Amino acid sequence: MTNRIFKAVCAAALSVFVVTMLLIMGVLYNYFSSVQQKQLLAQTALAVQGVEQQGMAYFDGLDVENLRITWIAGNGDVLYDSVSDSDTMENHLQREEIRQALSDGVGQSARYSSTLMKQYLYCAQRLSDGTVLRLSVSHNTIFVLLLGMLQPILIVIAVALVLSFLLASRLSKRIVEPMNRLNLDEPLENEGYDELSPLLRRIYSQQQSLKNQQATLAQKQNELDAIVSHLEEGMLLLDRDCRVITANQAALRLMDVRNRNVAGLSLLSLNRNMELQEAVNQALAGVNVTKKTTIHGRTIQVHAAAVGKEQELSGVAVVLFDITQAEQAEQRRREFTANVSHELKTPLQSISGYSELIQCGLAKPEDVQPFAKRIYDETQRLIRLVEDIINLSRLDEGGGYEPRQMDLYDTAREVVRDLQTVAADKQVQLTLEGTAAEITGVPELARGIVYNLCDNAIKYNQPGGSVSVTVSGENEGVLLTVKDTGIGIPEEEQDRIFERFYRVDKSRSKEVGGTGLGLSIVKHAALVMGAQIQLESRLGQGTTIQVSFPK
């Protein structure tokens, strides 16, 4: 604004200066032209008096600079000229000043010479004898006069420009200074130009309206943030250019974004999942999309919907659901159903087959007892399998267990005593070491942990091998260690042995009567009691499993 005022003041000052100078030059030019014309008229009258008295003798020895005298007869012939030869000059009867002098006594005219770029003033007066005496003088045109005065004019213009710039700069600053000092936070408290009062009142009104709107928006934003921030689902709001308007912490966590200030960033800069980007693009096209994708190893269900009117979309709302656990649970359920069906089908088919042979009389008398034993063994295997499935189901549901004080060493001693016969049949030495160790736990779950670990260590051991059970107290809890010299577990399968129905050596598992649920029961029971499990095993060298119980 200062520059505009500065330019306007400078332009006005220079315009006034130029117009004023032109007017002055014009007035002065006309004034001096009039003065020169009057002087020429007076000189002509004096010259007429001299010629009237002396005749041609008046011109003898006459030396007049810048003045031309011509004596002209009544018929227009030139009798005398102070500049040119009168005999060679043309008739002057048609000259304007001559005709006026012959008719009125005095005649005046002015003519411009384009060749000499000068103007000539003429003044003629009739003598008593009817002749005419004419005087002429050269008179510069206004353009020649300007050229002659160019240097002083340029100096004056330069001085005027400097003064104009200085005055315009100072004036513009003084005009703008009160506006620069305006306190727009308190518009009505300003003192300055009265012309700004309507504007200041309007600004005050707008500020009050904006403050009210801002307070309302802030309240709604806080309410929305409070709701969205506590949602487990991830929420993203994007504009039409796929740039983030807002995102809650759940969305940033699911996309593994550590920077919390993501407003204005593009979706691809947060996550380069093309399925997510495709869902957003389809939503921008007006199609609501729901699809599954994988982000950083987790299964995410994406729901993208357009926001705004049908004719004018303002952005896209994206909701991210972490369904990893649901997918894994569904996968485990399918695997569990398939495994249970398979595990139940095998012994049932065996029982059905042997029973059918006995029923139809196809079995020899000496084979009836072995067949009955096989039926009994398969039945016991079914019973153990059903019991393990029931225990797992109870553990999955929480079971309603009531923790109480118990001695883990006493539990381990009972289990070792019960399994001594089984160990002897397998030619495995089973030993117990340790001291009394009090914990707060569920006795039946603790027994299940010890029993399944010892039972597996015996079943998957080598003839002549050993199983050592150790119970030791620590500062933070009680440690149960079951170490065997059995077949060991391959390193690539150690992460899966606690899955249901997973067997490392499937052929041997069925030979020893394993159900594939023992270690899964151990895992779930440990979770219920808050215990931690550590596994260390080498193929062909044995396995060590440690369960750390909190006090």
Side-chain angles (χ1 to χ4, degrees):
M1 185 174 180
T2 304
N3 290 334
R4 296 181 64 180
I5 294 176
F6 173 79
K7 292 178 181 178
V9 173
C10 285
L14 291 177
S15 299
V16 171
F17 171 75
V18 171
V19 172
T20 303
M21 190 172 65
L22 291 176
L23 290 174
I24 292 175
M25 292 291 292
V27 171
L28 289 177
Y29 181 77
N30 290 332
Y31 172 75
F32 286 118
S33 296
S34 176
V35 169
Q36 192 174 20
Q37 190 76 31
K38 289 179 181 180
Q39 290 178 350
L40 184 61
L41 181 61
Q43 291 173 353
T44 302
L46 292 174
V48 167
Q49 292 294 328
V51 174
E52 287 278 4
Q53 296 177 4
Q54 301 181 19
M56 188 66 71
Y58 176 76
F59 300 109
D60 294 339
L62 184 63
D63 186 13
V64 182
E65 294 182 358
N66 298 326
L67 188 66
R68 184 177 182 179
I69 301 176
T70 307
W71 193 12
I72 304 165
N75 60 359
D77 292 336
V78 177
L79 301 177
Y80 172 79
D81 189 85
S82 61
V83 176
S84 301
D85 185 3
S86 60
D87 294 335
T88 61
M89 296 179 66
E90 61 182 5
N91 190 280
H92 280 42
L93 187 62
Q94 298 302 321
R95 304 292 171 90
E96 180 180 358
E97 68 276 6
I98 301 301
R99 287 188 288 107
Q100 288 181 2
L102 290 175
S103 61
D104 299 333
V106 178
Q108 292 180 337
S109 68
R111 285 191 291 276
Y112 175 74
S113 175
S114 59
T115 303
L116 299 176
M117 294 184 65
K118 289 184 178 182
Q119 189 177 29
Y120 288 89
L121 299 177
Y122 297 93
C123 183
Q125 186 173 346
R126 187 181 60 200
L127 279 68
S128 59
D129 59 0
T131 59
V132 177
L133 185 67
R134 186 187 70 178
L135 272 70
S136 65
V137 64
S138 64
H139 178 65
N140 291 331
T141 64
I142 191 169
F143 299 105
V144 175
L145 183 62
L146 288 175
L147 290 175
M149 298 179 64
L150 183 61
Q151 183 176 359
I153 289 175
L154 291 177
I155 294 174
V156 172
I157 290 176
V159 173
L161 285 174
V162 172
L163 292 176
S164 297
F165 288 158
L166 292 175
L167 293 175
S169 176
R170 185 174 181 181
L171 182 61
S172 60
K173 289 180 180 179
R174 291 185 62 184
I175 292 175
V176 175
E177 185 178 2
M179 289 185 284
N180 289 334
R181 293 201 309 264
L182 290 177
N183 182 11
L184 297 181
D185 294 332
E186 299 293 340
L188 300 183
E189 296 182 2
N190 290 286
E191 295 181 1
Y193 301 116
D194 294 336
E195 292 80 2
L196 294 177
S197 296
L199 175 62
L200 295 176
R201 286 194 296 270
R202 185 64 180 271
I203 291 175
Y204 176 77
S205 176
Q206 292 290 339
Q207 285 182 346
Q208 296 303 314
S209 177
L210 288 175
K211 287 180 180 178
N212 295 333
Q213 293 179 5
Q214 186 176 7
T216 303
L217 290 175
Q219 180 180 359
K220 292 183 178 180
Q221 184 65 37
N222 292 334
E223 293 174 356
L224 179 61
D225 291 342
I227 294 173
V228 172
S229 61
H230 289 84
L231 291 178
E232 292 295 332
E233 295 80 12
M235 294 193 65
L236 286 170
L237 188 60
L238 310 174
D239 60 15
R240 289 180 294 180
D241 297 326
C242 293
R243 296 190 176 276
V244 178
I245 298 176
T246 183
N248 67 350
Q249 293 303 313
L252 299 180
R253 183 179 67 254
L254 291 176
M255 293 188 295
D256 196 22
V257 177
R258 298 183 180 179
N259 182 16
R260 295 187 177 183
N261 188 14
V262 297
L265 299 179
S266 65
L267 179 61
L268 283 176
S269 66
L270 299 183
N271 191 280
R272 297 188 177 275
N273 186 285
M274 298 311 299
E275 293 181 345
L276 177 59
Q277 185 67 41
E278 182 181 354
V280 172
N281 292 337
Q282 292 180 4
L284 286 174
V287 181
N288 293 344
V289 181
T290 299
K291 61 169 55 180
K292 294 180 183 179
T293 185
T294 301
I295 301 178
H296 298 293
R298 304 190 67 83
T299 303
I300 305 298
Q301 183 174 344
V302 180
H303 178 72
V307 177
K309 299 179 180 179
E310 296 181 358
Q311 310 251 337
E312 185 180 354
L313 296 179
S314 58
V316 177
V318 182
V319 182
L320 305 177
F321 299 92
D322 187 357
I323 58 173
T324 304
Q325 293 183 353
E327 288 287 307
Q328 292 176 349
E330 178 63 20
Q331 179 65 25
R332 287 196 298 267
R333 185 192 64 79
R334 288 194 295 266
E335 293 178 355
F336 180 74
T337 302
N339 289 328
V340 167
S341 300
H342 176 73
E343 293 294 334
L344 291 176
K345 184 177 180 180
T346 301
L348 286 175
Q349 286 178 340
S350 179
I351 293 173
S352 175
Y354 288 121
S355 300
E356 185 178 0
L357 289 176
I358 295 174
Q359 180 183 6
C360 295
L362 297 178
K364 297 179 182 180
E366 61 272 17
D367 293 334
V368 172
Q369 186 175 0
F371 285 177
K373 184 178 184 305
R374 293 294 299 272
I375 292 173
Y376 175 79
D377 292 340
E378 293 296 340
T379 303
Q380 293 299 314
R381 181 182 171 193
L382 278 175
I383 293 173
R384 290 194 300 270
L385 180 61
V386 172
E387 288 178 348
D388 287 345
I389 292 173
I390 293 173
N391 289 333
L392 270 178
S393 299
R394 187 180 177 190
L395 288 170
D396 287 338
E397 295 174 1
Y401 301 107
E402 295 183 3
R404 59 186 176 86
Q405 285 295 116
M406 58 170 292
D407 189 342
L408 185 61
Y409 181 79
D410 289 343
T411 301
R413 183 172 54 191
E414 293 176 3
V415 171
V416 169
R417 183 186 60 209
D418 293 342
L419 290 176
Q420 285 294 346
T421 304
V422 178
D425 292 341
K426 296 291 184 179
Q427 300 180 10
V428 174
Q429 183 180 2
L430 178 61
T431 60
L432 172 65
E433 297 180 359
T435 58
E438 292 286 335
I439 63 170
T440 301
V442 182
E444 56 266 36
L445 296 185
R447 177 180 174 80
I449 292 173
V450 180
Y451 184 90
N452 281 288
L453 290 178
C454 293
D455 187 50
N456 275 2
I458 295 171
K459 288 178 180 178
Y460 299 99
N461 215 313
Q462 306 286 351
S466 64
V467 176
S468 62
V469 181
T470 305
V471 178
S472 58
E474 296 181 339
N475 293 331
E476 298 180 357
V478 175
L479 183 64
L480 170 67
T481 305
V482 179
K483 182 177 181 181
D484 64 63
T485 59
I487 61 175
I489 304 170
E491 184 176 356
E492 64 273 10
E493 298 190 28
Q494 292 180 9
D495 293 336
R496 301 194 58 189
I497 63 169
F498 292 98
E499 296 179 8
R500 300 176 185 185
F501 294 109
Y502 188 81
R503 297 182 177 91
V504 177
D505 189 346
K506 299 176 177 56
S507 60
R508 183 166 183 180
S509 295
K510 291 187 177 181
E511 289 178 1
V512 298
T515 63
L517 297 174
L519 290 180
S520 183
I521 292 174
V522 171
K523 173 185 175 183
H524 285 74
L527 288 175
V528 172
M529 296 180 64
Q532 302 291 329
I533 301 176
Q534 291 184 349
L535 169 69
E536 182 180 350
S537 181
R538 291 187 180 181
L539 190 62
Q541 298 183 15
T543 302
T544 300
I545 297 180
Q546 292 183 329
V547 184
S548 177
F549 295 89
K551 284 188 176 181

